[in-house]
Amino acid sequence: MTGVLRPGHAQLRVLNIDEAARFYRDVMGLVETGRDAQGRVYLKCWDEHDHNSLILREADHAGIDFIGFKVLNEATLDQLERDVRAFGLETERLPAGELLETGERVRFRLPTGHLFEIYAQKAQVGNGLPNVNPPPWAPDADRGMAPTRLDHCLLYGPNVTANKKLFVDVLGFHLVERILGPAEAGEPEIGLFLSCSHKTHDIAFVEYPEPGKLHHLSFRMPTWERVLRAGDIMGMNKVPIDIGPTRHGVTRGETIYAWDPSGNRFETFAGGYEPYPDSRTITWTFDGFPHGLDFPQGKLHESFLTVVT
Ligand code: M3P
Ligand code: FE
């Protein structure tokens, strides 16, 4: 892989920083790696190597401040900055260290209204395992839900087809799956699942009138059993569940969606398949979409389609 590597971090707005830190650390089972002078809390999943993947910021309303993707190196960062400007978006450089242990970031606003950034450097703190003769897991792999990594996010906003053009033509993503609107409306693309890797999606967008909205941040679970165990932990801790445990038709993912204490939706996600850049794009028609959302039930869950932060 070259170019854009993976979702590296997301900064979430939370209503109470202590309650949120407790939730993501003790219930979700992430590892807290730092706090900064602004009071932001930094966490990572146990099997991630970089210093942070989730940053919590206290605010009076929930949602996402920005999402950041790691790119291969500084030359890639400089080239993509030029390419994004040539595409017609303004870019801004944030200095190294503005986020703890993170290098310079190039930030721009997507057509859907979300702040998106790319960066090449973040300190590697490791996953708690040695590089020589490592055992398969560390104690943090059994603490709380214990996802292995930040997998993807689904963002809601207007102009998703403009986002598609940016991600495919400029940032080197491929379109793995898409959802179409009703035939009466001419079947516009209303859902896009984009990958910069051979995951089914590293980022996804759904058409929505209000810009900059978060539908969910998704955390990778190694197995379906671990998704069920995450559901047990949600039950034990009275975490409100939106959907699941079930399987999506879209991406074939095994999933539970639930809400954090601030009302930000998150997903515990396993499975899927391994698309390559030359794979065909899978299309879900509007009529087929209920099974795309929840394959066993074939049901359009009202809260899933309408609640965003
Ligand atoms: C996922 C996923 C929609 C499907 C979402 C799918 C918008 O979140 O991780 O596969 O219906
Ligand atoms: Fe998802």
Side-chain angles (χ1 to χ4, degrees):
M1 282 174 58
T2 57
V4 180
L5 299 181
R6 61 171 174 272
H9 57 239
Q11 180 166 306
L12 266 191
R13 292 187 297 271
V14 296
L15 303 181
N16 178 312
I17 193 80
D18 294 323
E19 183 186 31
R22 214 177 310 118
F23 174 79
Y24 282 101
R25 192 185 54 228
D26 300 340
V27 180
M28 183 81 88
L30 306 190
V31 180
E32 186 177 325
T33 55
R35 296 197 179 210
D36 68 15
Q38 292 178 40
R40 292 181 296 186
V41 177
Y42 294 67
L43 303 118
K44 68 184 267 302
C45 302
W46 80 265
D47 207 16
E48 290 173 318
H49 291 257
D50 286 0
H51 178 270
N52 58 74
S53 57
L54 180 68
I55 302 115
L56 306 175
R57 179 176 77 84
E58 189 169 87
D60 62 7
H61 62 294
I64 191 166
D65 281 335
F66 54 82
I67 174 105
F69 273 60
K70 197 176 196 188
V71 303
L72 184 63
N73 53 30
E74 297 291 344
T76 306
L77 187 68
D78 294 346
Q79 183 60 51
L80 288 173
E81 180 182 37
R82 288 192 288 273
D83 294 346
V84 168
R85 283 168 177 258
F87 181 80
L89 297 181
E90 281 175 28
T91 65
E92 178 195 2
R93 282 233 174 198
L94 288 103
E98 197 280 330
L99 275 184
L100 285 187
E101 303 291 342
T102 306
E104 258 191 310
R105 290 128 65 205
V106 173
R107 177 183 278 186
F108 42 96
R109 197 173 288 282
L110 302 179
T112 47
H114 302 90
L115 280 182
F116 186 87
E117 49 188 46
I118 50 178
Y119 65 96
Q121 296 295 332
K122 190 173 290 199
Q124 290 202 333
V125 298
N127 63 354
L129 301 177
N131 290 339
V132 178
N133 304 333
W137 47 271
D140 280 325
D142 258 348
R143 194 174 51 73
M145 299 180 212
T148 54
R149 68 164 184 244
L150 175 64
D151 190 85
H152 64 268
C153 63
L154 172 56
L155 304 174
Y156 271 37
N159 307 319
V160 296
T161 53
N163 275 24
K164 178 175 86 166
K165 197 166 164 46
L166 173 69
F167 279 80
V168 171
D169 295 352
V170 180
L171 299 174
F173 285 57
H174 52 281
L175 182 65
V176 177
E177 301 205 9
R178 59 185 195 143
I179 303 166
L180 302 182
E184 311 85 85
E187 298 200 308
E189 286 180 333
I190 59 170
L192 300 168
F193 295 77
L194 294 149
S195 179
C196 61
S197 63
H198 80 157
K199 290 154 59 190
T200 49
H201 50 328
D202 290 291
I203 196 163
F205 298 101
V206 164
E207 187 73 25
Y208 192 71
E210 245 184 293
K213 292 298 188 180
L214 172 67
H215 187 276
H216 66 268
L217 277 187
S218 183
F219 293 90
R220 183 80 190 171
M221 311 304 293
T223 65
W224 167 231
E225 296 249 307
R226 279 274 160 164
V227 176
L228 295 179
R229 179 178 172 280
D232 295 338
I233 292 171
M234 293 174 202
M236 291 171 194
N237 289 280
K238 307 284 180 245
V239 176
I241 289 183
D242 185 10
I243 302 183
T246 188
R247 183 212 282 275
H248 299 298
V250 177
T251 77
R252 298 186 202 154
E254 300 142 4
T255 184
I256 303 173
Y257 292 100
W259 284 284
D260 79 1
S262 305
N264 292 304
R265 190 188 285 94
F266 68 90
E267 176 178 32
T268 51
F269 175 87
Y273 57 95
E274 292 84 38
Y276 282 84
D278 64 340
S279 302
R280 84 266 188 256
T281 299
I282 288 175
T283 296
W284 294 87
T285 62
F286 198 68
D287 290 346
F289 176 57
H291 284 285
L293 178 52
D294 181 335
F295 198 82
Q297 290 197 70
K299 184 170 156 189
L300 289 180
H301 299 263
E302 175 72 16
S303 57
F304 184 90
L305 298 174
T306 54
V307 177
V308 289
T309 54

